[in-house]
Amino acid sequence: MATAIETEAIRIHGARVHNLKDVHLAIPRDKLVVITGVSGSGKSSLAFDTLYAEGQRQYVESLSAQARRFFRQLERPDVDYIEGLEPTICIDQRRSATQRRSSVGTLTEVFDFLRVMLARIGTLHCPGCGKPVKQTPLERIQQDALDLPDGSKAMILAPKGTLSGAELREALEKLQEAGFLRVRLNGKFYELDRFGGWQGEGPVTVDLVLDRVVVREKSARRIRESIQLAEREGRGSVILFFQPPGEGNGAGERHEEATNGTTEKNGAGEHAGWQERPYCTEFACPDCGVQMEAVEPRDFSFNSPYGACPACDGLGQAERFDPALVLPPDDFAEGLLASQSFVGSNFFAKRLREESKPFFAERPPLSKQAWRYWSSDDRRALLRGTGTFPGLATAMEAAWSSCTRKNALEEMAPFRGEVPCGECEGLRLNARARSVSLHDLSLKEALTLPIGDLLPRLREMAFDESEAKIADPLVREIVKRLDFMSRVGVGYLTLGRGVDTLSGGELQRTRLATCVGAGLVGCCYVLDEPTVGLHPRDDENLIAALRDLQRQGNTLVVVEHDEAMMREADWLIDIGPGAGEAGGMVVAEGTPEEVARSATSLTGQYLSGTKRIEIPSRRECEGAPMITLAGASANNLRNVTIRVPLGRLTCVTGVSGSGKSTLIHDTLARALRRSLGERAPAPGRFARLTGAAGIDKLVEIDQSPIGRSPKSSPATYVGVFDEIRKLFATTKEAKRRGYGASRFSFNVAGGRCETCQGQGVTRLEMNFLPDLYLTCSECNGARFNRQTLQVRYRDLTIADVLDLPVERACETFDAVEAIRRPLESLRDVGLGYLRLGQSAVTLSGGEAQRIKLADQLARPDTGRTLFLLDEPTSGLHLDDIRKLLEILQRLVDRGNTALIVEHHMEVVKCADWVIDLGPDGGAGGGRLLAEGPPESIAACPESHTGKALRAALDR
């Protein structure tokens, strides 16, 4: 077998992290290296806990002691040594606690560049009237006046604002006392010493005439001084009113007409054809007179008080009453809010009915229409108010804030939730920041347009010579990042999309865009399954993008199961042969072709075709009862109608952004929950739902964590730890000592070790070094006190049991059905390697989803349950996928329905029914391309899924 070139390799000697068994390995540098193996074999232990951890440690230790205090340092891995290691960069799918405030734009740094462009060459608009507000230096105004054609007549005016009544009279008197001679009122010129008073009604626009001059070379000084005076009198505003020579009717002719004993110069006579240029040396609206400060990059940061929306503090969301919960789409009938949502909430319903009477008095027909048929303007008017009605949202918040009755607050609480901020509409920025545009691109468009649509807008934007000096380098950096994201299949995302709403694969590819923009070379990038959530159509683009990063002089180490990625690798490392204690060894390494020829490699057997996932011998969907969702049109869906056969395995496919999540999670699942009588957010817009009577339960199984506390574990989630504690309480020793089940909980004082509070470790702060976690000296990591550990079951303490892998625990508790059944479910879904007490925070999204699936498998069901899964193949080896399909088929064989949103063609080809959306993402998707057995999807020429599925069916 070929070996990596020793002089150009990262050499790992004696890696023993977690289940790794003294691994010795040479990884070629500046290559695309893929590490694969079955789930739990030790891939992540090698790539992240060994390679990345040591690279980060070496880099941080090269810094000064003061600098190290600002870095989160990883624990030194259990390895003899690693040679030839470059600086490492980890791009995984884990989320940080601060990412609620992050967006796609901030994570990729695109918004940082955009903020500079907006501040330096953006156009500020008046928040009141929407007109552009520009700042012109005084020197520029003077030069514009001097650049008028020689002989031009000009007047220099200073705007004094809009006045009326006594305020107007007082202002004119002061101007006359100050020695000024002329004013312009509502566009007409008057001499102050002959002005008899304004006779009209309403507000008057007042402009003070500072000078009347003919533009000549000898008058340059006079013009400059007059403009300076106008700038002071107009508080930064100046009006240049002029007529080029040879234009107009009778230059110098005076047209006078008597008005209340005064002399008025009629603008319709003498000043016909004159031109007017308003200027402002400060940011002020020429119409409204509203003054604003110059914008700076900080004014566009929603993490800064200068730019954040004051209503939501820059989060884009606020805890408010959710209209989707308060106003169900089908139940808004005559009598106002006689909706089932208010059953048992008498206080709340009565208050809202009273508050809303004026609204329906003006629009009586609306009281008979379901909420879903209302226009967006009518909805906005009801929620935000009109001239005679303060708005239902205001009324709801007032009812909440003024209520002091505990039972009434409890009744109202279920209707509250995180909703888009009504002030900034989710943009997170204040009104001033939102009023700035970049040429014809508004800030709202920049944040809400899909990246695939924003990219051409930026590329086609033309800048003048002065703007180009600022914009060109910034646009270049922005385009580089957005182009990468578009290429790797996330062009449907928007810059304003919150990072906390991204899937693991989307998050990782977004982080990659930042690395591409940084342009680093000589680094080792460690990636965690970047193909998660990616349609096979986009695999080629992702691989090409990674190749670009590698060709720049970087080493890419990718933990991956995707067959296309493995076949494209320069070097493939297979870890195994099994999971947990049965893994941790290098089974095979070399080129993909060499690994495929290895008889000992499970991965190689699937690559060579020796092993494969077989296509079912028959698919029976004809005549099966169907759930039909008709007319789905939320987000980018285009009046989609789908059918889901009951008692069958159905896959929903389509490229990223084609509308799968909107259709299944946001529309179908919510509609089904409401049809089952459960409370759920309002589903996306659809026409009708039929066939829901064929199910009696909906179970959604996603990749969210099974617990956020380190003390949560697989054993606690599936409920076996309670049964294990009860079992220990029945032992003779426990009964003799009087111990109950609570004695064997590490969350309760009494049985746990009080020195470490049941954690098993104690933390020692090391100042500029990473915090050191030491095994508790009292319990030696067992988490329980000495008395509790003296109780044994089959010679095992409670601490020994928590350290058991699921596989061995099944054997240990074989005679206890309440414990054995959930453990067997965990083993059957491929999690036999997990330890019962393993912390939930160390589990991947795919492992969390399979634990939830195992929990459901262990429970009795009626055979009429619909299981909804979201990409359950995440993190699974092909052999694990085969096991998963067997589990899903068991559910279906019991009469249940399995509905899966999935990209993996090995799963799709085994489905009974496939629903394919597309053809592309965002605006290019949202259509039903085909539905039926996999063979019918493969025959659809327009479907990208069909092309990939044809290859899978032919294997």
Side-chain angles (χ1 to χ4, degrees), residues 201-216:
E201 295 182 359
V204 179
T205 302
V206 180
D207 300 314
L208 175 62
V209 181
L210 272 301
D211 200 359
R212 297 185 299 169
V213 65
V214 177
V215 179
R216 304 262 190 239

Side-chain angles (χ1 to χ4, degrees), residues 376-395:
S376 58
D377 289 341
D378 286 333
R379 293 187 186 198
R380 190 178 298 107
L382 175 64
L383 293 172
R384 299 187 183 176
T386 61
T388 59
F389 170 57
L392 197 57
T394 305

Side-chain angles (χ1 to χ4, degrees), residues 915-927:
I915 298 168
D916 189 41
L917 300 181
D920 295 306
R927 293 194 290 118

Side-chain angles (χ1 to χ4, degrees), residues 610-655:
T610 305
K611 279 183 173 288
R612 62 171 58 89
I613 295 176
E614 300 294 341
I615 301 171
S617 56
R618 61 177 183 172
R619 312 184 202 272
E620 299 180 355
C621 286
E622 189 174 344
M626 297 274 186
I627 291 177
T628 301
L629 179 74
S633 55
N635 295 340
N636 68 333
L637 297 179
R638 304 181 187 181
N639 197 31
V640 171
T641 297
I642 61 166
R643 296 176 298 159
V644 179
L646 295 176
R648 304 292 186 269
L649 174 60
T650 298
C651 280
V652 182
T653 61
V655 300

Side-chain angles (χ1 to χ4, degrees), residues 468-531:
K469 293 179 181 178
I470 299 171
D472 285 352
L474 297 173
V475 170
R476 186 163 53 248
E477 292 297 328
I478 292 173
V479 167
K480 186 191 302 183
R481 288 162 170 77
L482 298 188
D483 181 63
F484 176 85
M485 295 183 69
S486 185
R487 287 167 54 200
V488 299
V490 288
Y492 57 89
L493 296 178
T494 65
L495 294 182
R497 174 93 172 258
V499 168
D500 57 339
T501 67
L502 301 180
S503 68
E506 289 172 335
L507 177 61
Q508 188 168 197
R509 293 195 290 278
T510 302
R511 284 177 174 156
L512 264 175
T514 310
C515 297
V516 170
L520 294 174
V521 297
C523 295
C524 177
Y525 288 91
V526 185
L527 287 78
D528 184 15
E529 295 193 73
T531 61

Side-chain angles (χ1 to χ4, degrees), residues 507-716:
L507 177 61
Q508 188 168 197
R509 293 195 290 278
T510 302
R511 284 177 174 156
L512 264 175
T514 310
C515 297
V516 170
L520 294 174
V521 297
C523 295
C524 177
Y525 288 91
V526 185
L527 287 78
D528 184 15
E529 295 193 73
T531 61
V532 167
L534 200 63
H535 192 275
R537 182 200 68 168
D538 298 315
D539 277 352
E540 186 177 338
N541 291 333
L542 175 62
I543 293 170
L546 295 179
R547 281 292 185 193
D548 288 343
L549 202 57
Q550 174 240 324
R551 292 190 191 101
Q552 293 174 14
N554 299 296
T555 303
L556 269 69
V557 178
V558 184
V559 175
E560 189 56 86
H561 295 294
D562 182 74
E563 184 176 344
M565 183 71 76
M566 287 191 286
R567 292 189 183 279
E568 287 293 326
D570 298 315
W571 198 258
L572 183 60
I573 301 170
D574 187 26
I575 305 295
E581 295 177 353
M585 295 181 287
V586 178
V587 177
E589 62 174 318
T591 65
E593 294 76 16
E594 291 171 334
V595 173
R597 292 195 295 268
S598 171
T600 59
S601 169
L602 187 60
T603 301
Q605 293 175 41
Y606 276 99
L607 288 176
S608 65
T610 305
K611 279 183 173 288
R612 62 171 58 89
I613 295 176
E614 300 294 341
I615 301 171
S617 56
R618 61 177 183 172
R619 312 184 202 272
E620 299 180 355
C621 286
E622 189 174 344
M626 297 274 186
I627 291 177
T628 301
L629 179 74
S633 55
N635 295 340
N636 68 333
L637 297 179
R638 304 181 187 181
N639 197 31
V640 171
T641 297
I642 61 166
R643 296 176 298 159
V644 179
L646 295 176
R648 304 292 186 269
L649 174 60
T650 298
C651 280
V652 182
T653 61
V655 300
S656 299
S658 59
K660 304 183 298 297
S661 294
T662 299
L663 177 65
I664 302 302
H665 295 290
D666 298 343
T667 306
L668 179 61
R670 294 178 181 181
L672 286 173
R673 288 208 177 279
R674 289 194 167 197
S675 71
L676 292 171
E678 301 176 20
R679 189 179 301 282
R685 189 182 296 270
F686 70 97
R688 64 183 180 279
L689 175 70
T690 59
I695 64 170
D696 59 11
K697 186 179 180 182
L698 172 64
V699 176
E700 293 186 72
I701 303 175
D702 58 19
Q703 298 187 24
S704 59
I706 60 171
R708 300 192 180 275
S709 167
K711 292 185 178 181
S712 299
S713 66
T716 57

Side-chain angles (χ1 to χ4, degrees), residues 308-320 421-424 430:
C309 169
C312 63
D313 194 28
L315 290 172
Q317 292 183 319
E319 184 181 315
R320 302 236 191 285
C421 173
E423 178 70 22
C424 66
N430 58 32

Side-chain angles (χ1 to χ4, degrees), residues 143-333:
Q143 192 59 49
D144 281 359
L146 295 175
D147 287 342
L148 292 174
D150 198 47
S152 297
K153 297 176 180 179
M155 292 189 196
I156 298 166
L157 296 84
K160 303 298 287 185
T162 301
L163 308 171
S164 61
E167 190 180 20
L168 173 63
R169 290 193 299 272
E170 183 180 351
L172 294 176
E173 289 172 1
K174 287 184 178 180
L175 291 176
Q176 188 173 6
E177 291 172 1
F180 294 107
L181 302 177
R182 296 172 183 84
V183 292
R184 185 174 68 169
L185 306 178
N186 280 356
K188 293 185 179 182
F189 292 85
Y190 298 85
E191 293 183 2
L192 285 172
D193 59 351
R194 302 177 61 187
F195 184 63
W198 183 258
Q199 300 302 312
E201 295 182 359
V204 179
T205 302
V206 180
D207 300 314
L208 175 62
V209 181
L210 272 301
D211 200 359
R212 297 185 299 169
V213 65
V214 177
V215 179
R216 304 262 190 239
E217 184 177 349
K218 62 181 182 181
S219 60
R221 181 176 178 180
R222 174 181 170 180
I223 291 173
R224 287 192 177 96
E225 291 175 350
S226 297
I227 290 176
Q228 287 178 352
L229 179 59
E231 192 268 340
R232 288 197 300 270
E233 290 292 332
R235 289 174 299 179
S237 296
V238 178
I239 296 174
L240 186 60
F241 191 57
F242 64 93
Q243 181 190 50
E247 297 185 15
N249 55 349
E253 249 183 86
R254 293 181 54 146
H255 295 265
E256 297 181 357
E257 60 183 51
T259 305
N260 298 327
T262 66
T263 299
E264 175 188 322
K265 295 175 185 176
N266 193 333
E270 180 184 8
H271 300 111
W274 283 56
Q275 301 175 35
E276 183 171 319
R277 291 181 188 170
Y279 295 95
C280 188
T281 59
E282 299 177 2
F283 280 106
C285 178
D287 290 347
C288 303
V290 177
Q291 286 199 335
M292 293 167 277
E293 295 181 1
V295 290
E296 294 292 334
R298 68 184 183 183
D299 296 320
F300 301 98
S301 172
F302 42 74
N303 292 320
S304 162
Y306 294 98
C309 169
C312 63
D313 194 28
L315 290 172
Q317 292 183 319
E319 184 181 315
R320 302 236 191 285
F321 284 98
D322 188 348
L325 297 175
V326 176
L327 306 170
D330 298 313
D331 298 332
F332 207 91

